[in-house]
Amino acid sequence: MKILVIGSGGREHALVWKIHQSPRVDKIFCAPGSAAIGELAECVAINPEQLDRLADFAEKEHIDLTVVGPELPLTLGIADLFESRHLRIFGPNQAAAQLEGSKAFTKEILRANGIPTAAFATCADAATAKRYLVRQKSPYVIKADGLAAGKGVLICATLAEAEAAIEEILVQKAFGAAGDKVVIEEYLDGEEASFMVLTDGEHVLPLASSQDHKRVFDNDQGPNTGGMGAYSPAPVVTPEVHERVLREVLTPLLDGLQRKNIRYRGLLYVGLMITKSGPKVIEFNARFGDPECQPIMMRLKSDLLPLLEATIDGKLDQVTAQWHQDPAICVVLTANGYPGAHDKGKEISGLDKLADWQQGFVFHAGTAKDNNRWLTTGGRVLGVTARGKSMAEAVTEVYRAVGEISWAGMHYRKDIARRALPHS
């Protein structure tokens, strides 16, 4: 098979790494890819939003399956375009991808189908938003409606902070068109978890549970980021929680989408808050989480390709996924200043010491290669990922590997998987 993976980050590196292990694969392309991905696939200089060029390339190269990594091409309708040209693609169509593309759309779907979530209001102007805020209790959760690379959610301790967030999003347009509307939500207290499933619109195949760490500093302090690390499995997703998510979230969601003539085929990421009263939906994503994808791919024993094909063909009830029992953990190494303005072009040392690392792998999220030197190019730079016989062993191993890597201003959280360790 000839495979095309779209994207260039750590998630796509992990997907290419896993797909490369399939005996059915003859050739992998990645658009645009990266220097690190180029060690496993042929990189193609086409950006994810260049839909027509991607479809032309898939036709010309007789690609058997295209796998979409990031959310932007999905919300732009890449699956619709590929399907119209009889090209096989893994990822939901544009109508289904609204679950990620618009938080307001998602909240209305949740409300209409009785799916547990935070109380909310959607506002398109600052005056209306501020009037609603005054009637709410602190802390306040303010979300830009559209795609904001994981940074459009602001948790505000005081009314003054919340009003400033409204101004920032709706008036100052800090997130551009993504902030044409805001969703103001009730603050939910509990523990977050990521529940990812493959779905063909009718059947659901759950993947291993995971938990992401979004705040930039230890002990969940500082602003939200695209993700500072993740681990799998997440002990907070007990068998009871697992069953409740399937019964109370996924079944009514897929039924509700079908009533709107929307068939969801692809990866569906359910962001959950596990509260005292049970799981509640925080968000949906229309693609693999990043960095959750990294530990999940490391734990997946099965060949990924048959699972993706069964999703496309509506045959998910005919396949199963096998998992390594060993937990896995990913620690994200970031540039100085992330998630704001950050350094670039810093030389990375120590990667050669992990070239033959048996217990894990270093996935590249924002790097480039200059001759034999690896340089930082993004905010999230590397995702150091390891397995261990227990979560405690995985934590020890991953931080040992992190200790081999350095560059000027390198930052990372030192408490990834801390909530899981008491269960280890």
Side-chain angles (χ1 to χ4, degrees), residues 195-236:
F195 196 98
M196 285 187 267
V197 302
L198 299 176
T199 179
D200 55 20
E202 184 177 354
H203 312 103
V204 168
L205 179 66
L207 303 183
S209 65
S210 58
Q211 191 172 81
D212 182 19
H213 295 256
K214 288 188 169 60
R215 299 295 191 97
V216 70
F217 300 124
D218 289 0
N219 300 312
D220 296 325
Q221 300 297 306
N224 273 338
T225 72
M228 293 298 298
Y231 61 92
S232 174
V236 71

Side-chain angles (χ1 to χ4, degrees), residues 132-357:
Y132 179 80
L133 275 176
V134 171
R135 302 193 299 272
Q136 308 311 309
K137 294 180 181 178
S138 63
Y140 308 89
V141 181
I142 316 293
K143 297 181 175 181
D145 175 52
L147 298 177
K151 299 165 193 170
V153 178
L154 303 172
I155 299 173
C156 306
T158 67
L159 180 61
E161 286 179 23
E163 290 177 335
I166 294 294
E167 287 285 324
E168 183 182 354
I169 296 172
L170 286 176
V171 180
Q172 298 165 17
K173 294 294 181 185
F175 302 107
D180 286 347
K181 289 187 284 189
V182 295
V183 174
I184 303 171
E185 284 190 0
E186 164 199 17
Y187 178 82
L188 295 178
D189 196 19
E191 190 172 341
E192 287 192 48
S194 304
F195 196 98
M196 285 187 267
V197 302
L198 299 176
T199 179
D200 55 20
E202 184 177 354
H203 312 103
V204 168
L205 179 66
L207 303 183
S209 65
S210 58
Q211 191 172 81
D212 182 19
H213 295 256
K214 288 188 169 60
R215 299 295 191 97
V216 70
F217 300 124
D218 289 0
N219 300 312
D220 296 325
Q221 300 297 306
N224 273 338
T225 72
M228 293 298 298
Y231 61 92
S232 174
V236 71
V237 182
T238 62
E240 179 197 358
V241 168
H242 182 100
E243 288 305 314
R244 287 189 66 176
V245 174
L246 293 177
R247 184 178 68 251
E248 298 175 17
V249 177
L250 288 160
T251 297
L253 173 70
L254 295 177
D255 289 346
L257 289 174
Q258 284 187 2
R259 284 192 292 273
K260 295 175 78 70
N261 294 316
I262 297 173
R263 181 164 184 176
Y264 194 109
R265 286 185 296 186
L267 188 290
L268 179 60
Y269 169 121
V270 187
L272 296 168
M273 183 69 77
I274 313 301
T275 70
K276 289 179 180 178
S277 61
K280 295 189 177 185
V281 175
I282 302 172
E283 65 177 354
F284 291 119
N285 291 327
R287 37 71 194 179
F288 285 96
D290 188 351
E292 296 100 322
C293 184
Q294 288 84 311
I296 285 177
M297 288 301 106
M298 190 159 282
R299 291 191 63 216
L300 181 61
K301 189 185 293 186
S302 304
D303 187 339
L304 180 60
L305 286 182
L307 306 182
L308 303 184
E309 290 187 297
T311 304
I312 296 169
D313 295 333
K315 297 178 178 178
L316 268 180
D317 57 329
Q318 300 176 26
V319 296
T320 56
Q322 302 298 318
W323 300 92
H324 293 287
Q325 291 303 304
D326 293 353
I329 174 173
C330 172
V331 175
V332 174
L333 312 185
T334 71
N336 183 43
Y338 179 79
H342 52 78
D343 294 341
K344 293 182 181 180
K346 302 298 182 182
E347 183 173 356
I348 304 168
S349 301
L351 287 173
D352 55 321
K353 298 175 184 175
L354 299 171
D356 299 314
W357 187 23

Side-chain angles (χ1 to χ4, degrees), residues 99-120:
L99 284 178
E100 178 162 11
S102 170
K103 295 178 180 66
F105 173 83
T106 290
K107 296 297 283 192
E108 294 299 337
I109 287 280
L110 292 171
R111 179 155 58 191
N113 293 283
I115 298 170
T117 189
F120 74 99

